[in-house]
Amino acid sequence: MASLVAYDDSDSEAETELVGRFTAAGQMKDTSDVARPCGRDFPTGVLDMSEGGALPTKHGSCEDPAGQRLPLVRLWRSDPGSCPSQRLQWPRTEPEVTCPTSKHPHPSLWTSHAPAGHVSLAATRFKQAKLSQGTYNSSEPSFCAQTKSETQGHNGNSLQRKRREDCVVPYTPKRLRQLQALSTETGKSKDMGTQGPSAGKAAAPAPLRVAPSVSEFIQPYLNTQYKETKISRRVLFHLRGHRGPVNSIQWCPVFSKSHMLLSASMDKTFKVWNAVDSGSCLQTYSLHSEAVRAARWSPCGQRLLSGGFDYALHLTDLETGTQLFSGQSNFRVTTLKFHPKDHSLFVCGGFSSEIKAWDIRTGKVVRSYKAAIQQTLDILFLKEGSEFLSSTDASSRDSADRTIIAWDFRSSAKISNQIFHERYTCPSLALHPREPVFLAQTNGNYLALFSAVWPYRMSRRRRYEGHKVEGYSVGCECSPDGELLVTGSADGRVLLYCFRTASRARTLYGHTQACVGTTFHPVLPSILATCSWEGDIKIWH
């Protein structure tokens, strides 16, 4: 059976005339003395379909050079600008293709089951494959689908290999694939996350496994006034669950929910524990892609504010697990503090010369505090939020001016930067609950005492020594009654000092690595929580 191809021209309604004649062997030869039909403007240049490239080649006739029957015609995908010169060329010598007699699920447009000598106007049936002055849109999957049915012949392997070359998927560079995958994951997280005031939201975690309620152990002490703090002696719970160093811990500030303990870790998570009744983990939050350096309870005890080395800030609802606020800072966050009066404001500092105040209601920065420093280590509010202190890493060989800076919260002005004049940095600050003084942990392996009112003079009489800091961000805190001071140590010890006499009250040996966080329970001061660089938390009673 001889299979011929007729070209379709949308500008003409006349059918294509048969140009040429058939030989006895069933082959077709071009007759140069027969004129082409009018309306067909086909130059003699055809496209070479060889693997070497698509170069135009001149042929004087359309004779099959090998004397074989014509196989299926392929369309060559070329530059859209050269569409008028696209041609269907007689292919080179190929083995004979035997089309199956069974009915194809998708009939080929280039084959026919008509009797021999019948010319099938396939191009008129396939209007989509139009060669016109413009663009040519070929459906590559349709040719791939035809290949499956056409390779059932006796020599289908070689033909299938050649067909695959026409269906080659363009190579996409690895960097472009990674960017596409990242954009897809970002789009999915935005669809799953709760919409908040700002962009960059992560998927909301599940609600708490146990709804926050009043602890049976704490409830009898809620309405009583304690008079003194008892020194802890033994370990009540040993909390393990973090896979990295624990940076900070904090009890819930609401007395009725103070059995819950918040911890932030370098393993990119922060957790909420029931550290009084059972010592179990209530929930794990994995909202950050880098280490979580700071996590704080909101003053209402219903929200959790977290910041980390991924420049992200998240405010999460405790009970529902939804994100109420999500912001992106321009530096790595190392410290966070809520405003003591206006709970919709918080300040954050980190690896930057700026300290920024955020408004949760608008999701924007409302104030900025600039200083000639490189990093903010800790922040402490004074006088009900009208002033705050910041400890920095600015120090010189002889003095450490700008190590502690006092700021006016409303005007963003510096009140004083000549507070601490020794050559040590202060990784943490703590306010005394009853007296107008504050404590500063120094890298000189001692606690310094300062006045909390201007001009913030340092006490020369009292200094709390005996522990080691050695570059760690070792925290310190006062007991609720103000009689004891507790601090960690780089060698894993926990030291308690008497506030009045600066003498050592007790030393607890609880950790094998640096103890960086210590905090007293707000209702039961005899309960003490400590965390270490090895990733564990201990509750002392």
Side-chain angles (χ1 to χ4, degrees):
M1 178 182 71
S3 179
L4 300 181
V5 176
Y7 295 88
D8 177 41
D9 191 357
S10 59
D11 298 333
S12 176
E13 298 180 356
E15 293 186 354
T16 306
E17 297 292 340
L18 181 63
V19 180
R21 58 187 179 82
F22 286 94
T23 61
Q27 303 173 354
M28 181 210 173
K29 294 185 178 181
D30 185 22
T31 55
S32 59
D33 55 349
V34 179
R36 299 174 183 265
C38 59
R40 304 292 193 271
D41 188 12
F42 294 121
T44 58
V46 296
L47 292 176
D48 188 6
M49 303 286 288
S50 62
E51 298 178 359
L55 300 175
T57 309
K58 295 291 182 176
H59 296 280
S61 64
C62 300
E63 182 179 356
D64 185 11
Q68 301 292 339
R69 293 187 178 181
L70 297 179
L72 303 180
V73 179
R74 301 194 209 98
L75 288 177
W76 179 257
R77 295 179 285 109
S78 180
D79 185 12
S82 62
C83 287
S85 63
Q86 289 180 352
R87 294 297 174 267
L88 300 176
Q89 182 199 5
W90 309 114
R92 298 182 179 181
T93 304
E94 293 183 0
E96 181 180 358
V97 178
T98 304
C99 299
T101 57
S102 60
K103 185 177 180 180
H104 299 281
H106 302 286
S108 175
L109 300 177
W110 309 105
T111 58
S112 175
H113 299 286
H118 177 71
V119 180
S120 174
L121 299 178
T124 60
R125 295 171 56 188
F126 191 55
K127 294 294 184 182
Q128 289 81 356
K130 185 188 299 181
L131 295 174
S132 59
Q133 188 81 13
T135 60
Y136 170 61
N137 298 325
S138 64
S139 179
E140 186 173 342
S142 63
F143 291 100
C144 297
Q146 293 177 14
T147 305
K148 295 181 180 180
S149 60
E150 294 171 358
T151 54
Q152 298 178 6
H154 57 87
N155 200 6
N157 293 333
S158 61
L159 185 59
Q160 183 180 8
R161 191 181 307 109
K162 202 165 187 177
R163 296 287 184 184
R164 287 176 180 172
E165 298 176 0
D166 297 338
C167 303
V168 173
V169 180
Y171 172 74
T172 305
K174 182 178 180 180
R175 182 175 299 177
L176 182 58
R177 292 198 305 269
Q178 293 176 350
L179 293 176
Q180 293 175 352
L182 181 61
S183 61
T184 304
E185 294 177 359
T186 305
K188 291 182 180 179
S189 64
K190 288 184 178 180
D191 295 339
M192 297 175 60
T194 305
Q195 297 296 331
S198 61
K201 303 170 183 55
L208 282 176
R209 299 175 185 173
V210 180
S213 59
V214 180
S215 171
E216 296 180 356
F217 188 75
I218 298 176
Q219 187 173 7
Y221 300 91
L222 291 178
N223 299 324
T224 60
Q225 294 293 330
Y226 50 83
K227 296 182 180 180
E228 61 180 359
T229 301
K230 296 182 180 180
I231 299 177
S232 304
R233 296 178 180 271
R234 61 185 181 88
V235 176
L236 181 63
F237 294 114
H238 192 180
L239 309 180
R240 296 184 179 94
H242 285 293
R243 294 174 295 177
V246 179
N247 294 313
S248 63
I249 51 177
Q250 184 192 10
W251 295 101
C252 181
V254 180
F255 290 169
S256 61
K257 302 177 183 179
S258 58
H259 62 283
M260 292 186 294
L261 181 70
L262 175 65
S263 63
S265 174
M266 299 291 285
D267 62 356
K268 309 177 185 179
T269 66
F270 57 99
K271 296 176 180 286
V272 175
W273 307 79
N274 185 346
V276 174
D277 298 324
S278 61
S280 60
C281 179
L282 300 180
Q283 184 57 277
T284 300
Y285 300 86
S286 302
L287 303 178
H288 296 268
S289 59
E290 296 294 337
V292 181
R293 184 62 180 83
R296 303 291 297 181
W297 288 94
S298 64
C300 63
Q302 298 178 356
R303 302 171 181 177
L304 303 173
L305 179 64
S306 61
F309 287 172
D310 58 351
Y311 306 86
L313 297 167
H314 297 294
L315 183 67
T316 309
D317 187 85
L318 176 67
E319 298 185 14
T320 62
T322 58
Q323 265 185 260
L324 305 177
F325 164 81
S326 182
Q328 196 74 13
S329 178
N330 56 359
F331 53 82
R332 300 178 186 270
V333 180
T334 59
T335 179
L336 295 168
K337 289 296 172 61
F338 273 99
H339 193 275
K341 291 297 181 181
D342 191 353
H343 299 168
S344 61
L345 301 177
F346 71 90
V347 293
C348 70
F351 289 85
S352 174
S353 60
E354 290 183 289
I355 299 174
K356 294 187 177 182
W358 289 74
D359 193 338
I360 298 173
R361 296 164 294 187
T362 60
K364 298 180 180 179
V365 177
V366 294
R367 293 180 183 88
S368 181
Y369 310 87
K370 297 182 180 180
I373 58 175
Q374 295 181 353
Q375 180 183 354
T376 300
L377 303 177
D378 199 8
I379 296 173
L380 180 66
F381 274 98
L382 302 175
K383 292 184 178 180
E384 298 182 351
S386 60
E387 301 174 5
F388 72 91
L389 303 172
S390 66
S391 63
T392 68
D393 64 345
S395 63
S396 60
R397 183 179 61 181
D398 299 328
S399 65
D401 59 333
R402 304 187 310 275
T403 299
I404 299 178
I405 304 175
W407 302 86
D408 184 80
F409 180 76
R410 296 184 180 273
S411 63
S412 303
K414 294 180 184 177
I415 300 176
S416 176
N417 61 355
Q418 302 292 326
I419 300 175
F420 186 55
H421 297 281
E422 299 188 16
R423 64 181 186 276
Y424 302 113
T425 58
C426 302
S428 63
L429 304 173
L431 186 66
H432 195 274
R434 296 188 178 182
E435 296 187 11
V437 295
F438 70 91
L439 295 164
Q441 182 78 267
T442 69
N443 274 306
N445 299 329
Y446 65 89
L447 281 168
L449 185 66
F450 295 86
S451 172
V453 295
W454 191 85
Y456 314 105
R457 297 186 183 275
M458 184 179 71
S459 175
R460 300 291 181 179
R461 297 181 180 179
R462 274 185 279 181
R463 177 177 291 187
Y464 307 89
E465 298 176 314
H467 59 283
K468 296 181 180 180
V469 179
E470 297 179 354
Y472 287 97
S473 181
V474 177
C476 60
E477 190 177 295
C478 298
S479 62
D481 61 355
E483 295 297 329
L484 290 177
L485 304 180
V486 62
T487 178
S489 180
D491 54 8
R493 296 178 299 162
V494 180
L495 291 90
L496 291 95
Y497 298 96
C498 180
F499 174 73
R500 302 294 177 184
T501 62
S503 60
R504 189 184 307 179
R506 182 172 292 276
T507 301
L508 304 176
Y509 300 89
H511 301 281
T512 58
Q513 297 188 27
C515 178
V516 295
T518 56
T519 177
F520 284 101
H521 194 276
V523 178
L524 304 172
S526 60
I527 293 182
L528 176 69
T530 61
C531 64
S532 73
W533 201 250
E534 58 185 327
D536 62 338
I537 302 171
K538 287 188 177 182
I539 309 300
W540 302 79
H541 180 64

